[in-house]
């Protein structure tokens, strides 16, 4: 293994440990403030959105909102299924089936 990769992994582990340890020490006495707790509830949604939207809209490195963009079409179907059924497994299953069927049939 190259030494750069090893140092990157060690650095990431140290940073992760430090942030978790520091927050535990910081909020041990006072507890987490209400405003911070409310704000933190939106972080996973923001991170997931930041990861998914570019994948759906920019699959080839440029904006593609055509019917040839299988990622976007499967994503739209998955959004509708998620809204209707509110089940992660059903949403992932239907999205995967739509994507695979479009690839299989060459739509």
């Amino acid at each position: 293994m190259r030494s750069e990769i090893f140092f990157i992994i060690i650095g990431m582990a140290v940073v992760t440990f430090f942030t978790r340890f520091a927050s535990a020490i910081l909020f041990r006495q006072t507890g987490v403030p209400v405003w911070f707790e409310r704000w933190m509830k939106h972080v996973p949604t923001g991170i997931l959105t930041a990861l998914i939207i570019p994948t759906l809209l920019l699959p080839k490195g440029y904006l593609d909102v055509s019917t040839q963009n299988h990622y976007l079409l499967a994503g739209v179907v998955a959004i509708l299924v998620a809204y209707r059924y509110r089940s992660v497994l059903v949403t992932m299953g239907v999205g995967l089936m739509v994507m695979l069927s479009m690839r299989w049939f060459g739509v």
Side-chain angles (χ1 to χ4, degrees):
M1 179 186 328
R2 295 188 346 214
S3 62
E4 305 92 41
I5 295 174
F6 177 72
F7 288 125
I8 289 171
I9 292 171
I10 294 298
M12 291 186 322
V14 167
V15 168
T16 301
F17 176 77
F18 177 72
T19 55
R20 291 174 188 236
F21 183 72
S23 63
I25 294 297
L26 180 66
F27 296 126
R28 180 175 32 169
Q29 299 288 335
T30 61
V32 179
V34 175
W35 65 268
F36 188 68
E37 195 171 327
R38 276 196 314 250
W39 179 77
M40 289 299 287
K41 288 181 181 178
H42 299 289
V43 170
T45 306
I47 291 172
L48 194 58
T49 302
L51 292 172
I52 291 174
I53 295 299
T55 304
L56 295 179
L57 297 177
L58 309 165
K60 298 175 185 169
Y62 57 87
L63 184 63
D64 184 10
V65 290
S66 68
T67 57
Q68 299 303 316
N69 184 352
H70 296 155
Y71 296 101
L72 182 60
L73 295 175
V76 168
V77 170
I79 289 169
L80 295 173
V81 169
Y83 180 74
R84 170 67 174 92
Y85 294 102
R86 303 209 187 266
S87 169
V88 174
L89 290 175
V90 172
T91 301
M92 289 172 37
V94 170
L96 183 62
M97 296 291 273
V98 169
M99 177 64 94
L100 291 175
S101 64
M102 284 191 296
R103 295 273 174 121
W104 181 268
F105 295 116
V107 176

